[in-house]
């Protein structure tokens, strides 16, 4: 049962965090160090909103992949783009919404999983292109919308 | 990014002294791997026991480090946490790297490939 | 008890709505008609996240006051500014977070209640300047932060 | 914005045929009030029974309508919902406008001021 008097508003390493009941909201910018701080904050404070131990590592991984793409592609490495992350836990499922103000997702949807040729010669082994494959493998209910110059992405993660 | 290397049993043992190999440090990982693996030794064993988080940028840096070593030398991994191992499995990169439970079992094997 | 399988993503009159458990998130723009649609959506779908009847009218009032100020002052009547509203219900308290990308709040905090002279002659009666007074009278825990070119405002409303 | 007026018992009775007087229609409210109250009648009674939402922009428009009428004419309100009445109370504007429970009780009073 969520404790409704618990509300924390704090700044953790340039990340604004609001915790309320089974909800955590974070605001931060597209600078890689700051994104890392945001991820660490989610993992550190996750138990406050009842994110279970066994899902916490995968959640950090999925969020890292999505956030790296926001930093790299949506904001094209510009470090001061605003990013927002809202996490809600409901009966052990974790529901996330991510929002950025960068360029739209090409094709209007997150890319499909890419199949890589791992039999290829050493020099041709892929060093990237894994991000959305990992996300799609792990999450349910992935949804993307462009709303008023902003990207809104949501997904669910079950234990 | 803090890597630390020493030669043992004819292998270079690289210990990753970081909790994370992620987008914020992927390039440093690749560059420092080049530095610490300079030499002739065939086997490079990377001890990831202290790494509790690796994303696909980190994975890319690990692959890049293997490519730097060239076809003549092997790169093996040891001490992967559950989530780190999952990243290798999801991307099927566990078929590219010999993966050992820990450094001792890596050393116990004369050759991993 | 929130039903964790209930998730609605819908567009209502240019307002994107996501409902999940005891959470409602809305995205829309700073156009007065669209803001009105967003308010009506909150009131219409409020019972889905267990906003009680007796608080619903006051919530709409408080949100209208804050949103009018965002439209007028933060976005200075420009109609395409993105606005986000997140509502969480926890043990009958309603917690809201509003976010816009407009100009910062002057003085770094929402204005205090203005006292008007109602004994003044007819021509001098105030036609505005009531907004933040109404909000401050009705809500608890009003917090404002400027985070990375964005305004983040939160408050709580109890029955 | 849809206002509808008729004269009765020496007063202009304005019926607001809208559920909302808010920022999106405040200016129309003020303009239409001017139109429908043209004339000489002293009393203007505004029936807000159908209004279930009024914000401070709407309140501002109601005050502006009263100012348009000038000091010689009275503007009275009837049929306020709980939330609408609350806006008048919070801003103390209930001290400026005579407020009647409904149109009938407004008409039953010869003069409200
Ligand atoms: N948030 C985003 N905004 C815009 N484009 C994106 C976004 N995310 C992904 N893309 C597109 O998807 C491609 C990368 O997909 P991904 O599988 O994650 O590879 P990588 O791991 O190398 O980033 C990019 O080439 C880009 O076109
Ligand atoms: N969201 C906002 N962004 C920027 N400035 C604001 C915002 N909200 C209020 N202000 C400031 O507060 C003043 C208006 O306060 P308020 O009490 O709501 O009066 P009104 O009801 O006339 O808008 C404005 O003059 C403006 O300077």
């Amino acid at each position: 049962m969520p404790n409704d008097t618990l509300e924390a508003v704090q700044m953790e390493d340039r990340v604004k965090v609001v915790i309320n009941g089974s909800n955590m909201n974070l605001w931060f910018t597209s600078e890689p160090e700051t994104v890392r701080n945001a991820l660490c904050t989610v993992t550190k404070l996750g138990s406050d909103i009842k994110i279970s131990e066994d899902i916490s590592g995968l959640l950090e991984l999925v969020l890292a992949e999505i956030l790296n793409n926001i930093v790299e592609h949506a904001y094209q490495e510009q470090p001061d783009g605003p990013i927002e992350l809202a996490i809600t836990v409901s009966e052990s499922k974790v529901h996330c919404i991510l929002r950025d103000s960068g360029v739209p997702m090409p094709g209007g949807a997150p890319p499909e999983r890419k199949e890589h040729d791992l039999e290829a010669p050493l020099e041709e082994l892929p060093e990237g292109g894994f991000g959305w494959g990992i996300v799609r493998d792990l999450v349910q209910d992935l949804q993307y919308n462009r709303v008023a110059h902003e990207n809104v992405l949501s997904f669910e993660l079950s234990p | 990014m803090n890597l630390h290397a020493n030669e043992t049993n004819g292998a270079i043992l690289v210990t990753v002294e970081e909790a994370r190999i992620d987008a914020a440090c992927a390039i440093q990982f690749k560059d420092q791997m080049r530095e610490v693996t300079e030499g002739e030794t065939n086997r490079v064993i990377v001890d990831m026991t202290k790494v509790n988080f690796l994303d696909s940028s980190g994975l890319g840096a690990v692959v890049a480090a293997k490519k730097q070593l060239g076809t003549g030398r092997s790169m093996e991994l040891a001490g992967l946490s559950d989530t780190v191992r999952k990243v290798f499995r999801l991307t099927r990169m566990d078929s590219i790297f010999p993966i050992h439970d820990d450094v001792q079992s890596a050393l116990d094997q004369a050759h991993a490939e």
Side-chain angles (χ1 to χ4, degrees), chain B residues 45-113:
Chain B
I45 302 166
V46 183
D47 179 8
M48 313 241 283
T49 310
K50 288 177 184 147
V51 178
N52 54 42
F53 185 80
L54 174 131
D55 62 11
S56 73
S57 307
L59 177 71
V62 172
V63 175
K66 179 178 168 66
K67 286 159 91 169
Q68 283 171 2
L69 286 173
T71 42
R73 303 169 76 189
S74 85
M75 179 163 156
E76 306 168 31
L77 309 175
L80 276 56
S81 78
D82 285 352
T83 320
V84 172
R85 191 180 275 265
K86 184 137 198 168
V87 175
F88 280 84
R89 195 160 49 230
L90 286 172
T91 57
R92 297 188 297 120
M93 278 295 167
D94 52 357
S95 68
I96 302 293
F97 296 93
I99 293 176
H100 307 280
D101 284 349
D102 50 38
V103 173
Q104 196 50 55
S105 57
L107 292 174
D108 288 349
Q109 269 180 265
H111 272 284
E113 309 208 298

Side-chain angles (χ1 to χ4, degrees), chain A residues 30 66-78 100-106 146 151:
Chain A
S30 55
I66 296 174
L67 289 169
N68 290 348
N69 278 313
I70 290 175
V71 168
E72 223 178 294
H73 303 298
Y75 284 126
Q76 308 181 298
E77 313 282 354
Q78 286 195 292
D100 67 74
S101 313
V103 303
M105 198 77 83
R146 180 79 176 170
N151 299 313

